[in-house]
Amino acid sequence: MIQTIKNAWKIPELRKKIMFTIFALLIFRLGTAVPVPFVNTDLLGSYLNTMSDSIFGLMNAMSGGAFASATVFALGVQPYINSSIIIQLLTVAIPALERLQKEGGEEGRKKIAAITRYTTVGIALLQGFGYFTLLRVGTNGQSLLQLGDMNIVWAGIVIVLSFTAGSAFVMWLGEQITEFGIGNGISIILFAGILSRVPGAVRTMYRGIRNNMDGVTGQFNLPWWGAILIVIGVLAIVVLIVFIQNSERRIPVQYAKRVVGPKMYGGQSSHIPLK
């Protein structure tokens, strides 16, 4: 693997793609640290920590911790993923979209991509409004907003538009990685967000093991064998995903003998790889 990376780095075109991808990921990580205005991030973080086993915990993990900090990239790539799934399902239900996908060629794919982008913005607006409602209602009757003299309507507009613009920018950034970088941009951004949670998870696991060894009660405790099982489980999931992703069924194909001019070519055996 290391040798493959070294060989890829020697090729100027691949080196540019790698550098572009790294630069785009740095921009993504910077955006996850810029909070939207009028939000009490301390109260929000404490509230979402208590809700880590709910859907909010999953959204926070997919956004790389940006959701719990109410940053401009808090929604991450989720609106785009939802939009892509919805449009793919609608291409089966709506004949016009189905014809556009099957018979439209490159122009049809561009139109479907444009529809997906517009749908992404609409879903981001809905999710942003839902997030703003969560901030306004708060917990135990205490709002998670810091409005000061600002009217709540204008504050809501700023917050919702900030979330929507951040989600649209992440979508655009993923498309740029796909076109000028390496691999699928949305998948890479999603992977980078999840990977950024690994150091925090390791620290939590370490504190749990120390608390268990020291006999500390009332805090997170984790036996050493539990940590080993977690690591083995994570590695097993990674191995299974890679195995399924790279697996293929090889359908054997036998070519009959044929005569071309004065020569006879013998039959050949080959296969058709199906993912």
Side-chain angles (χ1 to χ4, degrees):
M1 177 179 176
I2 297 177
Q3 187 62 35
T4 302
I5 296 176
K6 289 182 178 179
N7 294 335
W9 189 259
K10 295 178 182 178
I11 303 175
E13 184 177 355
L14 285 179
R15 184 166 63 246
K16 291 180 180 179
K17 289 179 177 291
I18 293 174
M19 292 300 296
F20 182 86
T21 303
I22 294 175
F23 180 71
L25 292 179
L26 288 176
I27 295 177
F28 169 71
R29 291 308 302 162
L30 286 175
T32 58
V34 179
V36 300
F38 313 120
V39 178
N40 191 328
T41 55
D42 294 332
L43 288 178
L44 176 63
S46 301
Y47 173 64
L48 291 181
N49 283 336
T50 62
M51 304 287 290
S52 59
D53 56 347
S54 65
I55 185 64
F56 297 128
L58 176 61
M59 296 180 69
N60 190 42
M62 294 180 65
S63 64
F67 187 83
S69 302
T71 65
V72 291
F73 290 168
L75 300 182
V77 297
Q78 298 167 56
Y80 180 80
I81 294 175
N82 295 335
S83 174
S84 300
I85 295 173
I86 291 172
I87 297 302
Q88 288 180 11
L89 294 177
L90 289 180
T91 53
V92 180
I94 301 178
L97 287 177
E98 185 178 8
R99 289 194 301 269
L100 197 64
Q101 183 185 40
K102 293 183 177 180
E103 304 172 5
E106 183 65 25
E107 190 66 25
R109 284 190 290 271
K110 290 182 179 179
K111 290 182 179 180
I112 290 180
I115 294 173
T116 303
R117 295 189 191 101
Y118 294 137
T119 307
T120 299
V121 175
I123 293 176
L125 283 171
L126 291 176
Q127 291 188 351
F129 178 76
Y131 198 175
F132 168 71
T133 303
L134 171 67
L135 297 173
R136 181 172 58 85
V137 174
T139 173
N140 298 325
Q142 183 181 9
S143 175
L144 301 176
L145 298 174
Q146 291 178 327
L147 298 178
D149 297 331
M150 175 64 68
N151 184 279
I152 190 172
V153 175
W154 288 110
I157 292 175
V158 171
I159 292 174
V160 173
L161 290 181
S162 298
F163 288 145
T164 304
S167 179
F169 182 81
V170 171
M171 174 186 64
W172 176 84
L173 195 63
E175 292 178 348
Q176 298 306 303
I177 294 176
T178 302
E179 184 174 358
F180 302 107
I182 297 177
N184 184 284
I186 298 298
S187 299
I188 290 178
I189 288 177
L190 185 62
F191 171 74
I194 297 175
L195 191 65
S196 65
R197 303 279 294 172
V198 172
V202 172
R203 287 194 300 268
T204 301
M205 187 182 301
Y206 174 75
R207 286 197 298 266
I209 296 175
R210 288 295 303 269
N211 292 338
N212 184 76
M213 295 176 62
D214 297 339
V216 179
T217 58
Q219 297 186 22
F220 174 67
N221 291 305
L222 180 67
W224 63 268
W225 52 266
I228 295 177
L229 290 179
I230 291 175
V231 173
I232 293 176
V234 170
L235 294 178
I237 291 175
V238 172
V239 171
L240 178 63
I241 292 174
V242 173
F243 174 78
I244 296 298
Q245 176 67 25
N246 295 331
S247 62
E248 63 181 23
R249 179 178 293 276
R250 299 185 175 183
I251 308 300
V253 177
Q254 182 69 36
Y255 294 96
K257 293 183 179 180
R258 56 195 180 95
V259 178
V260 179
K263 296 182 179 180
M264 176 180 292
Y265 294 90
Q268 297 178 350
S269 298
S270 182
H271 65 270
I272 301 175
L274 297 179
K275 296 293 291 183

